[in-house]
Amino acid sequence: LDEPDAAELARDAARAAAAALRMPMGFVTVVLDDVQRALGAHGGDAVLADGGTIPMELSFCRFAVHDGIPFVV
């Protein structure tokens, strides 16, 4: 998760997803046991900038991981 090449690939993926979906921001994140960590970001605020984390109780992605189905916001 901490490899420089991985961060660049994640940023590229976030940028490509945002462009494909015509959205102002995109994120590649990983849901860990107690936090959600941004591997790459495009747009958005500094909280989920590359390497940023948020507590699991604030994570939208935890629902998709828990339920095993897409979670649309």
Side-chain angles (χ1 to χ4, degrees), residues 60 63-64 69-73:
F60 284 111
F63 297 111
I69 58 174
F71 181 77
V72 179
V73 179

Side-chain angles (χ1 to χ4, degrees), residues 3-71:
E3 293 293 324
D5 291 342
E8 185 176 343
L9 290 171
R11 280 191 299 276
D12 290 347
R15 186 178 307 109
L21 297 171
R22 298 182 183 152
M23 300 302 292
M25 64 184 98
F27 300 96
V28 174
T29 64
V30 61
V31 175
L32 302 171
D33 289 335
D34 56 348
V35 296
Q36 177 178 327
R37 179 176 174 194
L39 301 180
H42 172 74
D45 67 25
V47 172
L48 275 180
D50 295 352
T53 63
I54 59 171
M56 193 54 62
E57 59 269 10
L58 300 177
S59 168
F60 284 111
C61 296
R62 71 174 188 220
F63 297 111
V65 171
H66 180 265
D67 296 340
I69 58 174
F71 181 77

